[in-house]
PDB file of all heavy atoms in Angstrom:
ATOM      1  N   ASP A 512      -2.516  24.508  98.269  1.00 98.00           N
ATOM      2  CA  ASP A 512      -1.621  23.531  97.635  1.00 98.00           C
ATOM      3  C   ASP A 512      -0.401  23.406  98.541  1.00 98.00           C
ATOM      4  O   ASP A 512       0.335  24.375  98.733  1.00 98.00           O
ATOM      5  CB  ASP A 512      -1.239  24.016  96.240  1.00 98.00           C
ATOM      6  CG  ASP A 512      -0.445  22.974  95.481  1.00 98.00           C
ATOM      7  OD1 ASP A 512      -1.054  21.972  95.058  1.00 98.00           O
ATOM      8  OD2 ASP A 512       0.778  23.148  95.322  1.00 98.00           O
ATOM      9  N   THR A 513      -0.172  22.228  99.080  1.00 98.00           N
ATOM     10  CA  THR A 513       0.661  22.137 100.276  1.00 98.00           C
ATOM     11  C   THR A 513       1.594  20.933 100.268  1.00 98.00           C
ATOM     12  O   THR A 513       1.307  19.922  99.624  1.00 98.00           O
ATOM     13  CB  THR A 513      -0.286  22.085 101.515  1.00 98.00           C
ATOM     14  OG1 THR A 513       0.465  21.853 102.700  1.00 98.00           O
ATOM     15  CG2 THR A 513      -1.341  21.000 101.376  1.00 98.00           C
ATOM     16  N   ASP A 514       2.679  21.051 101.031  1.00 97.00           N
ATOM     17  CA  ASP A 514       3.630  19.941 101.205  1.00 97.00           C
ATOM     18  C   ASP A 514       3.831  19.666 102.694  1.00 97.00           C
ATOM     19  O   ASP A 514       4.929  19.761 103.205  1.00 97.00           O
ATOM     20  CB  ASP A 514       4.982  20.274 100.536  1.00 97.00           C
ATOM     21  CG  ASP A 514       5.653  21.516 101.120  1.00 97.00           C
ATOM     22  OD1 ASP A 514       4.963  22.341 101.769  1.00 97.00           O
ATOM     23  OD2 ASP A 514       6.877  21.654 100.971  1.00 97.00           O
ATOM     24  N   PRO A 515       2.741  19.329 103.418  1.00 97.00           N
ATOM     25  CA  PRO A 515       2.832  19.297 104.880  1.00 97.00           C
ATOM     26  C   PRO A 515       3.872  18.303 105.377  1.00 97.00           C
ATOM     27  O   PRO A 515       3.874  17.163 104.963  1.00 97.00           O
ATOM     28  CB  PRO A 515       1.421  18.830 105.305  1.00 97.00           C
ATOM     29  CG  PRO A 515       0.782  18.228 104.111  1.00 97.00           C
ATOM     30  CD  PRO A 515       1.451  18.851 102.913  1.00 97.00           C
ATOM     31  N   GLY A 516       4.701  18.804 106.256  1.00 95.00           N
ATOM     32  CA  GLY A 516       5.130  20.137 106.631  1.00 95.00           C
ATOM     33  C   GLY A 516       4.497  20.774 107.867  1.00 95.00           C
ATOM     34  O   GLY A 516       3.294  20.884 107.969  1.00 95.00           O
ATOM     35  N   VAL A 517       5.404  21.113 108.835  1.00 97.00           N
ATOM     36  CA  VAL A 517       4.966  21.609 110.135  1.00 97.00           C
ATOM     37  C   VAL A 517       4.223  22.935 110.009  1.00 97.00           C
ATOM     38  O   VAL A 517       3.111  23.082 110.537  1.00 97.00           O
ATOM     39  CB  VAL A 517       6.174  21.745 111.106  1.00 97.00           C
ATOM     40  CG1 VAL A 517       5.739  22.413 112.399  1.00 97.00           C
ATOM     41  CG2 VAL A 517       6.783  20.368 111.395  1.00 97.00           C
ATOM     42  N   ASP A 518       4.796  23.913 109.299  1.00 98.00           N
ATOM     43  CA  ASP A 518       4.094  25.201 109.217  1.00 98.00           C
ATOM     44  C   ASP A 518       2.885  25.118 108.292  1.00 98.00           C
ATOM     45  O   ASP A 518       1.889  25.819 108.497  1.00 98.00           O
ATOM     46  CB  ASP A 518       5.034  26.350 108.840  1.00 98.00           C
ATOM     47  CG  ASP A 518       5.737  26.135 107.520  1.00 98.00           C
ATOM     48  OD1 ASP A 518       6.102  24.977 107.204  1.00 98.00           O
ATOM     49  OD2 ASP A 518       5.946  27.129 106.794  1.00 98.00           O
ATOM     50  N   ASP A 519       2.936  24.233 107.299  1.00 98.00           N
ATOM     51  CA  ASP A 519       1.729  23.975 106.486  1.00 98.00           C
ATOM     52  C   ASP A 519       0.573  23.546 107.380  1.00 98.00           C
ATOM     53  O   ASP A 519      -0.575  23.975 107.202  1.00 98.00           O
ATOM     54  CB  ASP A 519       1.949  22.827 105.488  1.00 98.00           C
ATOM     55  CG  ASP A 519       3.110  23.043 104.552  1.00 98.00           C
ATOM     56  OD1 ASP A 519       4.253  22.878 105.001  1.00 98.00           O
ATOM     57  OD2 ASP A 519       2.864  23.371 103.390  1.00 98.00           O
ATOM     58  N   HIS A 588      11.243  19.812 109.488  1.00 95.00           N
ATOM     59  CA  HIS A 588       9.979  19.113 109.252  1.00 95.00           C
ATOM     60  C   HIS A 588      10.054  17.646 109.678  1.00 95.00           C
ATOM     61  O   HIS A 588       9.023  16.983 109.760  1.00 95.00           O
ATOM     62  CB  HIS A 588       9.580  19.191 107.778  1.00 95.00           C
ATOM     63  CG  HIS A 588       9.244  20.570 107.327  1.00 95.00           C
ATOM     64  ND1 HIS A 588       8.149  21.254 107.785  1.00 95.00           N
ATOM     65  CD2 HIS A 588       9.872  21.416 106.465  1.00 95.00           C
ATOM     66  CE1 HIS A 588       8.104  22.456 107.216  1.00 95.00           C
ATOM     67  NE2 HIS A 588       9.142  22.588 106.425  1.00 95.00           N
ATOM     68  N   ARG A 592       7.908  14.733 107.715  1.00 95.00           N
ATOM     69  CA  ARG A 592       7.318  16.075 107.622  1.00 95.00           C
ATOM     70  C   ARG A 592       6.219  16.282 108.684  1.00 95.00           C
ATOM     71  O   ARG A 592       5.364  17.147 108.571  1.00 95.00           O
ATOM     72  CB  ARG A 592       6.808  16.390 106.202  1.00 95.00           C
ATOM     73  CG  ARG A 592       7.970  16.363 105.185  1.00 95.00           C
ATOM     74  CD  ARG A 592       7.604  16.838 103.803  1.00 95.00           C
ATOM     75  NE  ARG A 592       7.294  18.256 103.699  1.00 95.00           N
ATOM     76  CZ  ARG A 592       8.211  19.228 103.686  1.00 95.00           C
ATOM     77  NH1 ARG A 592       9.486  18.952 103.813  1.00 95.00           N
ATOM     78  NH2 ARG A 592       7.825  20.483 103.559  1.00 95.00           N
ATOM     79  N   PRO A 631      -0.659  28.399  97.168  1.00 98.00           N
ATOM     80  CA  PRO A 631       0.419  27.406  97.187  1.00 98.00           C
ATOM     81  C   PRO A 631       1.405  27.692  98.321  1.00 98.00           C
ATOM     82  O   PRO A 631       1.973  28.777  98.395  1.00 98.00           O
ATOM     83  CB  PRO A 631       1.118  27.562  95.830  1.00 98.00           C
ATOM     84  CG  PRO A 631       0.479  28.721  95.144  1.00 98.00           C
ATOM     85  CD  PRO A 631      -0.508  29.352  96.055  1.00 98.00           C
ATOM     86  N   ILE A 632       1.592  26.686  99.184  1.00 98.00           N
ATOM     87  CA  ILE A 632       2.527  26.850 100.297  1.00 98.00           C
ATOM     88  C   ILE A 632       3.596  25.742 100.282  1.00 98.00           C
ATOM     89  O   ILE A 632       4.236  25.472 101.285  1.00 98.00           O
ATOM     90  CB  ILE A 632       1.784  26.933 101.660  1.00 98.00           C
ATOM     91  CG1 ILE A 632       0.890  25.718 101.905  1.00 98.00           C
ATOM     92  CG2 ILE A 632       0.970  28.206 101.742  1.00 98.00           C
ATOM     93  CD1 ILE A 632       0.205  25.712 103.287  1.00 98.00           C
ATOM     94  N   GLY A 633       3.749  25.117  99.114  1.00 97.00           N
ATOM     95  CA  GLY A 633       4.858  24.197  98.849  1.00 97.00           C
ATOM     96  C   GLY A 633       5.470  24.611  97.515  1.00 97.00           C
ATOM     97  O   GLY A 633       5.115  25.667  96.978  1.00 97.00           O
ATOM     98  N   PRO A 634       6.344  23.793  96.944  1.00 97.00           N
ATOM     99  CA  PRO A 634       6.833  24.091  95.584  1.00 97.00           C
ATOM    100  C   PRO A 634       5.645  24.219  94.623  1.00 97.00           C
ATOM    101  O   PRO A 634       4.626  23.556  94.798  1.00 97.00           O
ATOM    102  CB  PRO A 634       7.700  22.874  95.254  1.00 97.00           C
ATOM    103  CG  PRO A 634       8.098  22.314  96.588  1.00 97.00           C
ATOM    104  CD  PRO A 634       6.945  22.590  97.514  1.00 97.00           C
ATOM    105  N   MET A 658       3.233  31.250  99.338  1.00 98.00           N
ATOM    106  CA  MET A 658       4.371  31.328 100.250  1.00 98.00           C
ATOM    107  C   MET A 658       5.588  30.954  99.421  1.00 98.00           C
ATOM    108  O   MET A 658       5.681  29.830  98.909  1.00 98.00           O
ATOM    109  CB  MET A 658       4.239  30.370 101.431  1.00 98.00           C
ATOM    110  CG  MET A 658       5.292  30.615 102.524  1.00 98.00           C
ATOM    111  SD  MET A 658       6.943  30.047 102.121  1.00 98.00           S
ATOM    112  CE  MET A 658       7.927  31.451 102.638  1.00 98.00           C
ATOM    113  N   ASN A 675      10.781  27.032  98.606  1.00 96.00           N
ATOM    114  CA  ASN A 675       9.711  26.643  97.674  1.00 96.00           C
ATOM    115  C   ASN A 675      10.084  26.988  96.233  1.00 96.00           C
ATOM    116  O   ASN A 675       9.688  26.280  95.298  1.00 96.00           O
ATOM    117  CB  ASN A 675       8.382  27.320  98.040  1.00 96.00           C
ATOM    118  CG  ASN A 675       7.722  26.656  99.231  1.00 96.00           C
ATOM    119  OD1 ASN A 675       8.111  25.574  99.650  1.00 96.00           O
ATOM    120  ND2 ASN A 675       6.712  27.317  99.788  1.00 96.00           N
ATOM    121  N   ASP A 747       4.194  29.583 106.219  1.00 98.00           N
ATOM    122  CA  ASP A 747       2.969  29.248 105.476  1.00 98.00           C
ATOM    123  C   ASP A 747       1.720  29.912 106.054  1.00 98.00           C
ATOM    124  O   ASP A 747       0.744  30.145 105.329  1.00 98.00           O
ATOM    125  CB  ASP A 747       2.772  27.736 105.438  1.00 98.00           C
ATOM    126  CG  ASP A 747       3.834  27.041 104.594  1.00 98.00           C
ATOM    127  OD1 ASP A 747       4.563  27.737 103.872  1.00 98.00           O
ATOM    128  OD2 ASP A 747       3.931  25.804 104.677  1.00 98.00           O
TER     129      ASP A 747
HETATM  130 CA1   CA B 965       5.037  24.325 102.985  1.00 63.37          CA
END
Side-chain angles (χ1 to χ4, degrees):
D512 186 73
T513 174
D514 61 341
V517 173
D518 58 323
D519 303 76
H588 293 293
R592 298 188 68 77
I632 56 176
M658 190 285 135
N675 283 348
D747 292 348

